[in-house]
Amino acid sequence: MSAIFTRAPYRIGLNGPVRWGRLRRVSAVVWTAVGSLAAWLWLLLGQGFFWRTDVRLPPRGEPDVWPSVCVVVPARDEAAVLPESLPSLLTQDYPGHAEVFLVDDGSADGTGELARELARQHGGLPLTVSSPGEPPAGWTGKLWAVRHGIGLARVRGPEFLLLTDADIAHDPDSLRELVAAARTGGFDLVSQMARLRVESLWERLVVPAFVYFFAQLYPFRRIGVRGSRTAAAAGGCVLLRTDAAERAGVPDSVRQAVIDDVALAKAVKGGGGHIWLGLADRVDSVRPYPRLYDLWRMVSRSAYAQLRHNPLLLLGTVLGLAVVYLVPPVACVVGLVTGSAAAAVAGGLAWLLMTATYVPMLRYYRQPLGLAPLLPFTALLYLFMTVDSAVQHYRGRGAAWKGRTYARPAPEQR
């Protein structure tokens, strides 16, 4: 009897706390998984249906008189992609007057001369190649080049400006459709998210997710609603009314912006402009990103600037990515291993919702749907890229564009 009484407290003292500690750990996993599931239910229904990919150019009709358009192309060391992109601009099937201004921003690879040679070979729209010189203090290089191009274009008095990057190829009717959409819908800015190249393994894993995350931050449906505070554009293809640009003070008002396309859209919308952004059918990027390193640079260049260089926003973003994207598969696996049905079900359902919302973007990019469950892995890469962007900022390297580094954020961005 005494032996029983002496051993019983020993069992209770050891086994009780062990079971209770394990229970607390499982409960923490369950509650975190439930929180992640709740977040995904809200994202599914309350974030502007960001996951849908049917936001394309709005209904449009041909105007009685086609307005004049000037195309501005900032280019720095773009000789590798110009043969695929520039001819597509020069040969636009546009009924009105249009011409192209390519701004050779200090290229060292013969970009300017190649552009002139391509114009001689292909003919089409008139091409002017010019150089702005080095940007003064307070300007990011690309926006300084855009400013120079807009200055040249304004002499022609165009109704619209098409701002497009040197790596963007346009279908022959791209300009025509953009202008028709702007005129029909009364838009001051019409932008299309160019379809990025998806050929290498890393492009398949990272690129569709890049557009998916962008749409999650800036739901396309909300951007086109008058009175909505959501504003964004895709810098590769922006059709902008000249008078709207003047009202918004563009590009001077956004001269220090690293994420220039979003800043441009906010300036136009803040000036009372009506803007629209959607996915492209006639606009493609020809720039390759064959290695993870290339994609890493593309994202980390501006990730911390997107967070306004705020450490608290960085911490919140890291925690948010972890809870929303990493917890579901981890909770599902932990639940299956430990026998916790609640953790497995909550994590599995959240993972299923994540996968289902990613499928439309994979279809848009014509990628295997089997990549959808791998989104947590891609999100983990983006988490590391975001942290690396902050590390580079505090090391004084800052954001960079074509070899130029912008070490500190502009006052307007803080």
Side-chain angles (χ1 to χ4, degrees), residues 245-266:
E246 292 174 352
R247 288 196 306 271
V250 170
D252 295 55
S253 61
V254 296
R255 64 187 179 276
Q256 294 175 313
V258 175
I259 311 175
D260 51 272
D261 42 14
V262 174
L264 170 66
K266 288 181 177 179

Side-chain angles (χ1 to χ4, degrees), residues 72 103 145-155 161 163 240 245 250-251:
V72 176
V103 184
V146 170
R147 184 184 191 273
H148 183 75
I150 290 178
L152 295 174
R154 278 177 173 159
V155 176
L161 300 164
L163 311 180
L240 177 63
V250 170

Side-chain angles (χ1 to χ4, degrees), residues 256-383:
Q256 294 175 313
V258 175
I259 311 175
D260 51 272
D261 42 14
V262 174
L264 170 66
K266 288 181 177 179
V268 173
K269 197 165 193 177
H274 190 195
I275 71 175
W276 183 93
L277 171 64
L279 295 173
D281 291 315
R282 298 172 173 82
V283 183
D284 299 276
S285 172
V286 298
R287 190 182 305 282
Y289 294 97
R291 303 170 299 170
L292 176 60
Y293 171 75
D294 304 311
L295 291 159
W296 193 289
R297 284 200 311 168
M298 178 188 75
V299 175
S300 64
R301 177 185 75 87
S302 59
Y304 197 40
Q306 180 69 55
L307 302 176
R308 302 196 293 276
H309 304 96
N310 187 319
L312 291 179
L313 287 179
L314 174 66
L315 177 61
T317 298
V318 169
L319 292 176
L321 284 171
V323 170
V324 174
Y325 289 98
L326 306 184
V327 164
V330 170
C332 184
V333 171
V334 169
L336 292 174
V337 170
T338 62
S340 172
V345 169
L349 286 176
W351 196 0
L352 180 63
L353 286 178
M354 182 195 318
T355 301
T357 60
Y358 191 40
V359 164
M361 189 61 69
L362 288 175
R363 284 179 174 160
Y364 171 73
Y365 272 97
R366 306 182 186 97
Q367 295 304 301
L369 301 188
L371 293 174
L374 300 181
L375 186 57
F377 171 72
T378 306
L380 180 61
L381 289 178
Y382 273 88
L383 188 155

Side-chain angles (χ1 to χ4, degrees), residues 152-186:
L152 295 174
R154 278 177 173 159
V155 176
R156 308 292 201 271
E159 182 176 333
F160 287 98
L161 300 164
L162 175 62
L163 311 180
T164 184
D165 288 342
D167 65 319
I168 302 298
H170 295 254
D171 279 9
D173 62 346
S174 172
L175 181 57
R176 183 183 189 128
E177 294 296 311
L178 285 165
V179 171
R183 272 291 193 89
T184 303

Side-chain angles (χ1 to χ4, degrees), residues 24-380:
R24 284 191 299 177
R25 287 195 296 271
V26 171
S27 297
V29 172
V30 170
W31 282 113
T32 307
V34 169
S36 181
L37 177 58
W40 274 107
L41 289 171
W42 180 81
L43 288 170
L44 179 69
L45 303 174
Q47 188 60 2
F49 297 100
F50 76 94
W51 43 272
R52 295 182 57 173
T53 56
D54 56 351
V55 182
R56 310 296 173 87
L57 278 177
R60 53 208 176 273
E62 294 194 350
D64 295 332
V65 178
W66 288 90
S68 62
V69 182
C70 286
V71 182
V72 176
V73 185
R76 180 174 169 86
D77 294 332
E78 297 287 14
V81 296
L82 273 189
E84 293 184 74
S85 60
L86 186 58
S88 73
L89 285 172
L90 299 174
T91 57
Q92 281 295 299
D93 178 20
Y94 185 68
H97 175 76
E99 55 184 304
V100 180
F101 294 86
L102 185 139
V103 184
D104 181 9
D105 185 19
S107 299
D109 64 351
T111 289
E113 185 51 44
L114 176 59
R116 295 185 184 95
E117 178 59 29
L118 290 170
R120 287 191 288 269
Q121 292 177 9
H122 295 274
L125 301 182
L127 173 69
T128 299
V129 178
S130 183
S131 178
E134 286 297 310
W139 281 84
T140 60
K142 180 180 177 180
L143 284 171
W144 177 243
V146 170
R147 184 184 191 273
H148 183 75
I150 290 178
L152 295 174
R154 278 177 173 159
V155 176
R156 308 292 201 271
E159 182 176 333
F160 287 98
L161 300 164
L162 175 62
L163 311 180
T164 184
D165 288 342
D167 65 319
I168 302 298
H170 295 254
D171 279 9
D173 62 346
S174 172
L175 181 57
R176 183 183 189 128
E177 294 296 311
L178 285 165
V179 171
R183 272 291 193 89
T184 303
F187 294 106
D188 296 291
L189 182 153
V190 173
S191 179
Q192 287 186 294
M193 177 75 71
R195 198 190 302 259
L196 304 176
R197 201 188 87 142
V198 180
E199 294 182 14
S200 70
L201 171 63
W202 289 113
E203 286 171 338
R204 293 172 187 272
L205 281 172
V206 175
V207 167
F210 175 80
V211 182
Y212 174 89
F213 293 144
F214 185 92
Q216 192 176 90
L217 285 173
Y218 306 102
F220 295 162
R221 278 178 170 76
R222 292 181 180 172
I223 291 170
V225 176
R226 288 187 182 273
S228 167
R229 297 179 60 184
T230 306
C237 178
V238 178
L239 184 75
L240 177 63
R241 285 186 186 271
T242 306
D243 58 358
E246 292 174 352
R247 288 196 306 271
V250 170
D252 295 55
S253 61
V254 296
R255 64 187 179 276
Q256 294 175 313
V258 175
I259 311 175
D260 51 272
D261 42 14
V262 174
L264 170 66
K266 288 181 177 179
V268 173
K269 197 165 193 177
H274 190 195
I275 71 175
W276 183 93
L277 171 64
L279 295 173
D281 291 315
R282 298 172 173 82
V283 183
D284 299 276
S285 172
V286 298
R287 190 182 305 282
Y289 294 97
R291 303 170 299 170
L292 176 60
Y293 171 75
D294 304 311
L295 291 159
W296 193 289
R297 284 200 311 168
M298 178 188 75
V299 175
S300 64
R301 177 185 75 87
S302 59
Y304 197 40
Q306 180 69 55
L307 302 176
R308 302 196 293 276
H309 304 96
N310 187 319
L312 291 179
L313 287 179
L314 174 66
L315 177 61
T317 298
V318 169
L319 292 176
L321 284 171
V323 170
V324 174
Y325 289 98
L326 306 184
V327 164
V330 170
C332 184
V333 171
V334 169
L336 292 174
V337 170
T338 62
S340 172
V345 169
L349 286 176
W351 196 0
L352 180 63
L353 286 178
M354 182 195 318
T355 301
T357 60
Y358 191 40
V359 164
M361 189 61 69
L362 288 175
R363 284 179 174 160
Y364 171 73
Y365 272 97
R366 306 182 186 97
Q367 295 304 301
L369 301 188
L371 293 174
L374 300 181
L375 186 57
F377 171 72
T378 306
L380 180 61

